């Protein structure tokens, strides 16, 4: 019997099942996909950290002494087990290290005698597995001063080439207490040069203490435990540490808070006589801040979409109950109870709702797994269960309500509802007050106040959209009735009848059209936030890369920009100097400050700089742009040291940001090089080159830049160097690549998915809401059209009547939704934290003009959909028969 009724009303129950499946999918799929994307962003952020920040390193507090160090490698597992959860399960490789130095050393092949190389001697567990001996043998130190033999060590191939050492040579470490000699007995190559084992002891070039020298090498030799103990005894110093690698592949975003707390606890209470060195908690804290902002935006968009789906489920259940009102009245007339009717509706819903919910949830689980390893959201079971219960109970509740007052007359319900009851008005006022109070709380405390996302606060945008729809639909009957009176005086009955129907029916349609308002407001909100973030990132990209590309290096020869400008496709190459920690002396204060200085030819660079700089000529006192903090500290002017020369300047303009300095620099000074009296014998050496043009070869530009760096090194040190010896090989960053990186940074990838999904879902659900709204009123309009057909109404005029009746209401709903969606970002902007997504540039709320076109397109599509749905409904209702006994055909 139940299956017979399910087949008889397959269309209505099928619509309910489809909506439940969609709700289950949206409850599981987007959350899992967002979580997977967030986890990947966290792993990428941790994976990019240098070892000193990423690893947990416990350093022995007593790092020097006159006795040999004990070998404490056995404490690796013990220290790991003592760490607070969840750290022990997230650590992978670990090493125990005893190290002397790096200190100044006397080595063979030294060419900078006044700036000796830095050499360290290290014993590190795992050396046997990480190295491959290519010459000589592994160290086998005697470990005894009485034996008279120095410590033995092995050296890497790159280190041997850089320092000019071979197997059999000796290195003298000039340590704190005494000099220690180490003999090279082997040469090795790393089994995997990219392995974490080598992260903190790679060969590097570092600056010399004297500004008259260029750079020197810093290298590390590997020894055995006896060699480390012997050298430490002679040198009188050593360092010991236990280093643990954090496995980024095991990290998930839901562990961030617990992991940050665990690292902080390990820092406060480290193992005895040790101190923790790590910067991972800083990265985790920054990630957590941006994650909370992402979750706030995602929660707002997701709540709007899910609320729209919930409203559509209720509309579908109401549609089914209205179409079966006569059936329920007949059952009551034959002695059936209201409970029995509700039980029939619930039994029918169970057969279609439960399978649909299971299929939708399964799709929500499987689809994200094809793109990312998404984990379930904590709210997922509650959401899926809630939508399933809503779909099971709403048909029964609405059927019971319809059966409580059986009706065979088919009277017009819109007239009965033209005067709202005090209870309804009170409910609407309470909802409006609830929305206003929630908006105040969101602005004052945020969506997430540290205890997780508040369900009430994330529902505030939905409440505001519903409140806006109630206000609009309470006000709209008045102008519609006035317009109806005007059309009554004109020829033709269609405009009058349509506007009169719209004016009478607006209050009755507040529920269906509120769903439409919520859908449109959610889409406009997502689009506005996307535009705001996009514009902020565009400004950040213009500040960081103020040309088509920027070439970065340690120092380029003066003629390098001219050589780059000769490359095919390059239209302009502008030299730029960024001087970190430049000393500034104020004319009004004896204090010396260190700031970031930028020197560029303001007249030809094309950068957005004040006219005082772009029009400046050679002068003893150079005009400059200062940041607010610098301007406040130094006053009207002063002197600044740039590459060994002092230049006088005056503050000509104050700006928060300047192209070329990015968004992270807060204390800076910008000088125009064309106005500076730079001597020919000491020209300024650039370390950046701004490139404009298209079609140029990145490899060719990089080669020219590195040639310039080698030429500058030869000029300053008198030694020709190879590419691998460059302090900083040239890198090229295009504006497009930098802009793209902002979209993919950390958790920011979730935003793009959120905005795209929100816009698409809102548009689709808005059209579905219009279709259900039309279907809900189709029987009453069918009876009206049947009566008008007897008076000569044509089919085209019937469609025109629908247009005049629905377009005003749809227009009001679309306008209310669009205005609410556009106002939401500005209204709750402090709670969204959009500045965290714009690379430091203030997020100024801005709307995309294409959104207005999109709203118009949705309105047009909604009218077309309404006409199509009405035409299909009229065919099914068979307008020629609906006048008989008030019959409503299903």
């Amino acid at each position: 019997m139940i299956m017979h009724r399910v087949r008889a009303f397959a269309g209505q129950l099928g619509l309910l099942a489809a909506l439940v499946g969609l709700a289950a999918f949206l409850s599981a799929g987007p959350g899992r996909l967002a979580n997977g994307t967030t986890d990947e962003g966290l792993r990428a952020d941790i994976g990019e950290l240098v070892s000193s920040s990423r690893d947990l390193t416990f350093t022995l507090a007593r790092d020097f002494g006159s006795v040999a160090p004990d070998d404490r490698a056995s404490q690796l597992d013990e220290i790991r087990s003592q760490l607070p959860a969840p750290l022990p399960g997230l650590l992978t490789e670990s090493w125990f290290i005893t190290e002397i130095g790096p200190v100044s050393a006397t080595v063979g092949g030294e060419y900078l005698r006044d700036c000796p190389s830095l050499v360290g001697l290290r014993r590190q567990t795992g050396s046997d597995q990480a190295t491959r001996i290519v010459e000589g043998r592994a160290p086998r130190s005697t470990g005894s001063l009485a034996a008279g033999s120095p410590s033995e060590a092995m050296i890497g191939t790159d280190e041997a080439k850089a320092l000019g050492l071979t197997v059999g040579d000796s290195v003298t470490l000039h340590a704190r207490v005494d000099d220690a000699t180490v003999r090279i007995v082997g040469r090795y190559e790393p089994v995997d040069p990219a392995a974490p084992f080598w992260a903190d002891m790679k060969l590097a070039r570092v600056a010399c203490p004297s500004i008259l020298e260029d750079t020197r090498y810093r290298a590390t030799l590997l020894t055995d435990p006896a060699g480390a103990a012997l050298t430490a005894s002679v040198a009188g110093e050593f360092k010991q540490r236990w280093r643990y690698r954090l496995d980024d592949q095991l990290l998930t975003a839901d562990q961030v808070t617990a992991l940050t707390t665990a690292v902080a606890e390990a820092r406060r209470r480290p193992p005895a006589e040790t101190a923790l060195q790590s910067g991972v908690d800083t990265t985790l804290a920054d990630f957590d801040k941006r994650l909370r902002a992402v979750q706030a935006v995602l929660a707002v968009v997701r709540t709007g979409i899910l609320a729209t789906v919930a409203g559509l489920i209720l509309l579908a259940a109401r549609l089914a109950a209205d179409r079966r009102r006569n059936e329920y009245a007949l059952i009551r007339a034959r002695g059936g109870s209201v409970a029995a009717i509700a039980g029939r509706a619930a039994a029918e819903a169970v057969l279609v709702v439960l399978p649909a919910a299971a299929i939708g949830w399964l799709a929500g689980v499987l689809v994200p797994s094809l793109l990312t390893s998404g984990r379930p959201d904590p709210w997922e079971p509650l959401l899926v269960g809630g939508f399933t219960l809503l779909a099971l109970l709403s048909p029964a509740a609405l059927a019971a309500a319809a059966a409580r007052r059986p009706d065979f007359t088919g009277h017009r319900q819109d007239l009965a509802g033209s005067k709202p009851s005090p209870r309804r008005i009170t409910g609407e006022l309470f909802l409006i007050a609830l929305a206003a109070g929630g908006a105040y709380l969101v602005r004052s405390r945020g969506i997430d106040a540290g205890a997780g996302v508040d369900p009430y606060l994330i529902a505030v945008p939905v409440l505001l959209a519903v409140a806006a729809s109630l206000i609009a639909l309470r006000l709209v009957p008045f102008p519609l009735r006035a317009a109806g009176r005007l059309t009554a005086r004109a020829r033709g009955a269609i405009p009058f009848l349509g506007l009169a129907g719209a004016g009478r029916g607006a209050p009755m349609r507040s529920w269906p059209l509120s769903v439409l308002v919520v859908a449109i407001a959610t889409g406009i909100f997502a689009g506005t936030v996307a535009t705001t973030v996009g514009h902020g990132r565009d400004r950040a990209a213009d500040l960081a890369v103020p040309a088509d590309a920027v070439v970065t290096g340690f120092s380029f020869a003066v003629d390098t920009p001219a050589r780059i400008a000769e490359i095919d496709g390059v239209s302009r190459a502008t030299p730029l100097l960024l001087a970190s920690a430049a000393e500034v002396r104020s004319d009004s204060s004896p204090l010396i400050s260190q700031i970031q200085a930028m020197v560029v030819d303001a007249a030809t660079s094309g950068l957005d700089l004040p006219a005082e700089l772009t029009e400046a000529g050679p002068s003893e006192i150079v005009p400059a742009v200062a940041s607010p903090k610098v301007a406040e500290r130094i006053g009207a002017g002063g002197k600044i040291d740039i590459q060994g020369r002092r230049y006088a300047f005056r503050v000509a303009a104050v700006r928060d940001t300047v192209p070329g300095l990015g968004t992270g620099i807060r204390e800076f000074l910008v000088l125009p090089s064309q106005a500076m009296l730079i001597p020919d014998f000491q020209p300024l050496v650039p370390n950046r080159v701004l490139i404009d043009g298209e079609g140029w070869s990145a490899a060719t530009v990089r080669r020219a830049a590195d040639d310039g760096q080698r030429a500058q090194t030869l000029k300053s040190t008198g030694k020709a160097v190879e590419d691998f010896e460059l302090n900083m090989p040239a890198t090229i960053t295009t504006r497009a690549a930098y802009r793209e990186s902002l979209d993919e940074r950390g958790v920011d990838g979730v935003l793009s998915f959120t905005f795209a999904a929100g816009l698409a879902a809102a548009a689709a659900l808005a059209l579905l809401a219009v279709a259900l709204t039309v279907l809900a009123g189709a029987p009453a309009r069918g009876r009206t059209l049947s009566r008008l057909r007897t008076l000569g109404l044509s089919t085209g005029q019937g469609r025109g009547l629908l247009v005049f009746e629905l377009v005003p209401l749809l227009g009001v709903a679309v306008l209310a939704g669009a205005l609410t969606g556009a106002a939401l970002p500005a209204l709750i902007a402090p709670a969204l934290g959009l500045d965290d997504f714009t690379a430091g540039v203030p997020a100024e709320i801005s709307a995309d003009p294409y959104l207005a076109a999109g709203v118009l397109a949705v309105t047009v599509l909604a009218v077309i959909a309404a006409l199509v749905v009405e035409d299909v409904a009229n065919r099914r209702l068979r307008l020629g028969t609906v006048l008989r006994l008030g019959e409503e055909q299903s």
Side-chain angles (χ1 to χ4, degrees):
M1 187 66 178
I2 295 179
M3 292 301 299
H4 176 73
R5 293 198 302 270
V6 170
R7 287 194 296 269
F9 301 103
Q12 299 163 16
L13 293 175
L15 176 61
L16 183 64
L19 290 173
V20 172
L22 176 63
F25 174 80
L26 293 177
S27 299
R32 288 174 178 262
L33 187 58
N35 289 339
T37 306
T38 302
D39 293 344
E40 291 177 356
L42 172 62
R43 292 162 187 161
D45 282 359
I46 298 299
E48 293 175 354
L49 294 177
V50 297
S51 62
S52 59
S53 296
R54 170 178 175 169
D55 297 342
L56 301 181
T57 304
F58 294 92
T59 303
L60 190 66
R62 300 173 181 174
D63 62 348
F64 65 91
S66 58
V67 297
D70 297 330
D71 188 72
R72 304 190 184 191
S74 59
Q75 295 181 356
L76 277 171
D77 293 337
E78 178 184 350
I79 292 177
R80 180 201 296 259
S81 63
Q82 295 175 357
L83 297 177
L87 281 175
L90 298 176
L91 301 177
T92 172
E93 299 177 271
S94 59
W95 305 272
F96 171 72
I97 301 167
T98 299
E99 187 173 36
I100 298 90
V103 295
S104 298
T106 300
V107 300
E110 188 79 45
Y111 68 90
L112 290 177
R113 300 299 179 182
D114 294 332
C115 185
S117 293
L118 298 176
V119 178
L121 184 68
R122 172 182 293 198
R123 181 263 166 153
Q124 182 166 332
T125 56
S127 299
D128 295 342
Q129 295 77 25
T131 59
R132 178 176 60 252
I133 302 296
V134 294
E135 184 182 0
R137 59 175 175 82
R140 292 194 295 270
S141 304
T142 60
S144 173
L145 289 173
S149 299
S151 302
E152 295 182 351
M154 57 181 179
I155 189 172
T157 298
D158 292 341
E159 287 81 354
K161 183 177 181 181
L163 299 178
L165 290 172
T166 60
V167 174
D169 289 342
S170 296
V171 177
T172 301
L173 306 181
H174 304 295
R176 181 180 307 177
V177 175
D178 199 358
D179 294 345
T181 301
V182 180
R183 185 162 59 90
I184 307 298
V185 297
R187 181 170 59 86
Y188 69 86
E189 290 183 354
V191 174
D192 180 9
F197 179 92
W198 308 102
D200 62 342
M201 59 173 170
K202 293 181 178 179
L203 177 68
R205 292 183 70 100
V206 295
C208 289
S210 172
I211 62 174
L212 300 178
E213 300 289 347
D214 186 25
T215 59
R216 55 179 171 175
Y217 287 106
R218 183 182 63 202
T220 301
L221 308 178
L222 291 178
T223 187
D224 56 347
L230 177 60
T231 305
S233 299
V234 175
E237 64 174 273
F238 65 89
K239 297 177 183 178
Q240 287 185 326
R241 56 185 181 270
W242 296 260
R243 177 178 158 222
Y244 298 89
R245 189 73 170 180
L246 189 64
D247 190 348
D248 57 312
Q249 296 305 311
L250 298 178
L251 297 178
T252 54
D254 59 337
Q255 299 173 314
V256 169
T257 301
L259 185 57
T260 305
T261 303
V263 175
E265 180 65 20
R267 191 184 302 279
R268 285 194 299 268
R269 299 178 182 176
E273 298 183 345
T274 66
L276 175 61
Q277 296 177 347
S278 178
V280 70
D281 49 344
T282 302
T283 300
L284 291 173
D286 180 67
F287 182 90
D288 185 58
K289 180 182 177 183
R290 290 187 287 121
L291 176 61
R292 290 177 183 274
V294 165
Q295 288 175 335
V297 177
L298 180 60
V300 170
V301 175
R302 193 178 180 191
T303 301
I305 296 299
L306 293 179
T308 304
V309 176
L312 292 177
I313 290 176
L314 292 175
L315 284 178
R318 176 182 174 181
L319 178 63
D322 287 345
R323 292 298 173 85
R324 301 175 65 177
R325 186 180 296 272
N326 287 348
E327 175 191 344
Y328 299 148
L330 183 60
I331 294 174
R332 288 297 308 278
R334 293 177 176 176
S337 65
V338 174
I341 292 174
R344 286 165 59 98
E348 296 165 5
V350 166
L351 294 179
V352 296
V353 167
L354 293 182
I359 293 173
W361 174 79
L362 187 61
V365 172
L366 296 178
V367 171
S369 64
L370 301 177
L371 303 175
T372 180
S373 57
R375 52 185 169 80
D377 192 272
W379 291 88
E380 180 181 310
L382 184 61
L383 290 174
V384 175
F387 279 113
T388 303
L389 286 177
L390 178 65
L392 289 175
L393 299 179
S394 57
L398 292 172
R404 188 175 298 277
R405 297 179 181 177
D407 178 21
F408 289 98
T409 63
H411 65 274
R412 296 175 60 182
Q413 299 178 4
D414 58 338
L415 294 179
S418 59
K419 185 177 181 180
S421 65
R423 180 182 301 175
R424 183 185 180 98
I425 293 178
T426 302
E428 292 179 356
L429 291 176
F430 173 74
L431 192 146
I432 293 173
L434 200 65
Y440 171 77
L441 289 178
V442 167
R443 288 187 63 88
S444 61
R445 55 166 286 186
I447 293 178
D448 186 344
V453 176
D454 191 320
Y456 166 55
L457 296 183
I458 65 173
V460 166
V462 174
L463 294 175
L464 289 172
V466 174
S469 70
L470 293 177
I471 295 173
L473 294 176
R474 283 296 172 194
L475 297 177
V476 73
F478 299 103
L480 288 179
R481 290 168 187 169
R485 288 191 292 269
L486 293 176
T487 56
R489 303 174 185 176
R491 297 182 60 183
I494 301 302
F496 168 73
L497 292 175
L499 293 176
R504 287 192 304 268
M508 291 298 298
R509 297 185 181 121
S510 59
W511 180 11
L513 291 184
S514 291
V515 177
L516 178 59
V517 172
V518 172
I520 293 177
T522 301
I524 296 298
F525 168 80
T528 302
V529 173
T531 303
T532 299
V533 173
H535 288 175
R537 291 176 178 174
D538 290 341
R539 293 193 298 273
D542 291 339
L543 291 173
V545 186
D548 293 331
V550 58
V551 184
T552 304
F554 185 79
S555 61
F556 300 110
V558 176
D559 63 345
T560 302
R563 294 181 179 274
I564 293 177
E566 297 174 355
I567 298 174
D568 292 339
V570 177
S571 60
R572 178 168 56 186
T574 304
L576 185 146
L577 170 62
L578 293 184
S580 300
E583 291 187 354
V584 176
R585 295 168 175 82
S586 171
D587 291 339
S588 58
S589 172
L591 297 179
I592 300 177
S593 302
Q594 290 186 330
I595 63 172
Q596 179 87 9
M598 185 176 88
V599 182
V600 66
D601 189 336
T604 62
S605 64
L607 300 182
D608 181 18
L609 296 173
E612 290 88 343
L613 269 66
T614 58
E615 299 174 0
S619 174
E620 292 287 346
I621 302 178
V622 182
V625 175
S627 63
K629 289 185 178 180
V630 172
E632 181 181 359
R633 186 186 310 150
I634 65 177
K639 295 180 176 61
I640 183 170
D641 291 339
I642 302 292
Q643 291 187 346
R645 292 190 65 84
R646 187 171 298 177
Y647 298 90
F649 69 91
R650 60 179 177 84
V651 176
V654 177
R655 283 193 177 183
D656 292 326
T657 57
V658 170
L661 286 175
T663 58
I665 306 299
R666 291 292 178 264
E667 297 187 5
F668 60 82
L669 202 67
V670 180
L671 304 173
S673 60
Q674 84 276 5
M676 300 169 63
L677 301 179
I678 304 172
D680 295 338
F681 61 86
Q682 192 179 357
L684 294 182
V685 178
N687 52 14
R688 303 285 191 278
V689 179
L690 305 180
I691 297 178
D692 289 300
E694 58 183 15
W696 43 270
S697 170
T700 304
V701 170
R702 190 179 297 109
R703 190 180 308 114
D706 282 339
D707 289 343
Q709 291 206 87
R710 288 197 302 272
Q712 181 61 28
T713 302
L714 177 62
K715 179 180 179 181
S716 59
T717 66
K719 178 178 176 60
V721 296
E722 302 294 334
D723 285 344
F724 78 93
E725 296 178 292
L726 290 174
N727 300 326
M728 181 190 298
T731 58
I732 300 176
T733 304
T734 64
R735 180 190 293 157
Y738 182 84
R739 176 63 180 84
E740 184 178 356
S741 69
L742 296 180
D743 292 333
E744 300 173 352
R745 182 174 58 108
V747 299
D748 293 355
V750 182
L751 288 181
S752 301
F753 157 74
T754 300
F755 298 148
L759 284 170
L765 294 178
L767 295 178
L768 186 56
V770 171
L772 291 182
T773 301
V774 173
L775 285 175
R781 283 192 302 273
R783 288 189 296 271
T784 302
L785 289 177
S786 295
R787 296 185 181 98
L788 293 176
R789 288 283 179 88
T790 62
L791 301 177
L793 183 74
S794 65
T795 303
Q797 290 174 323
R799 294 193 182 97
L801 181 62
L802 175 65
V803 170
F804 275 102
E805 184 174 346
L806 286 184
V807 166
L809 300 179
L810 289 178
V812 170
V814 171
L815 181 61
L819 293 177
T820 304
L824 277 176
L827 190 63
I828 63 175
L832 297 178
L834 298 182
D835 291 351
D836 295 330
F837 309 126
T838 54
V841 174
E844 300 175 359
I845 303 300
S846 56
D848 192 334
Y850 289 106
L851 285 177
V855 171
L856 293 177
V858 169
T859 304
V860 173
L861 289 176
V863 173
I864 296 174
L867 293 174
V868 173
V869 171
E870 179 77 2
D871 190 59
V872 173
N874 289 341
R875 287 196 181 96
R876 288 182 57 82
L877 289 171
R878 288 175 290 176
L879 294 181
T881 63
V882 296
L883 293 178
R884 295 201 304 267
L885 302 177
E887 179 185 25
E888 294 184 18
Q889 303 294 330
S890 59

